[in-house]
Amino acid sequence: MYKIVADSSCDLKDFPSAPFETVPLSLSTDEATFVDDTNLDVTGALHYLSTYHGRSYTACPSTVAWTDAFDGADEIYVVTITSGLSGTYASACLAVDQFLAEHPEKKICVVDSLSTGPGLVLLIEKIAEWKEAGKSFEEVATQIVEYQKSLRLFFALQSLHNLAVNGRVNKLIASAIGIMGIRILGTASAAGTIDPIAKCRGDKSVLERLIKEIKECGYHGGKIRICHVENLPLAKTIAEKIREIYGEIDLQIVPARALCGYYAEQGGIILGCEC
Ligand code: X90
């Protein structure tokens, strides 16, 4: 039996078409810790964290959380948030080494998404599709790396505060946007780090620039997944605009879980596409 295991940055709580489990990252202040598992009240946790006066931070899953999730399957596909911004990929690799030492007969492949949220969703869906089609472990493990390279991730954020205080983005870039109505549009670099593209004033300008970027990266109507932090209206506006240009494409919108919600912050949008 095979299983797909992803960390909670994938924003999915379940994935009915394949055996699937998520392993939580955690979010903390000096007074409270929220485990980003499927029971978490995401809205409540994000509200607490955004109004807390003091520092807040995140932590990658423990190796035990990973090995518990591996249990019971013979063939495991692990999909993680970018190694360029998180220790999650490294903790998964460590867990795999420990697990294989005890269960040498198992097959495990760890995929570094070099992305987050929607980028993980596209990888998870592709693995499930290929397993459904009967591909072997070896085929999936090698081809998924190529597929990853065909994906692009864009984001439009109203604040980079949490990314900056946690050292995930340059403080100079972050300070440029604390102003009302300014959003930063960016993309994931090939190394899985944050690459700012432009400062945009208002949703209309974000939308125009995002569409231009999607066109220029070679998008021709492939799958699109969008994650939003309490901003379904903007996610829908983006979806409508893309469908206006490319027709009835395969596009889905999901709300962020806590990890992406914390870093993308209120109103944030993350979009992953096949290019
Ligand atoms: O504590 C940890 O190990 C987790 C650290 C995660 C840091 C980055 C999360 C980013 C989430 C922000 C916009 C998208 C940027 C994606 C670039 C690859 C969402």
Side-chain angles (χ1 to χ4, degrees), residues 118-119 152-156 210 214 224-227 238 242 251 269-273:
R152 287 294 305 270
L153 190 86
F154 296 98
F155 52 85
L210 178 63
I214 290 174
I224 292 194
R225 298 292 176 261
I226 300 175
C227 137
I238 293 169
I242 294 173
L251 182 154
I269 297 278
I270 311 175
L271 178 150
C273 58

Side-chain angles (χ1 to χ4, degrees), residues 25-26 58-60 81-82 85-88 114-116 153 155 157 163 168 187-189 192-194 259-260 263-264 270:
L25 284 93
S26 61
T58 59
C60 65
I81 187 170
T82 173
L85 297 173
S86 169
T88 301
L114 297 170
S115 184
T116 189
L153 190 86
F155 52 85
L157 310 183
L163 284 167
R168 260 78 189 192
T187 189
S189 70
T193 55
I194 291 174
L259 193 276
C260 284
Y263 283 109
I270 311 175

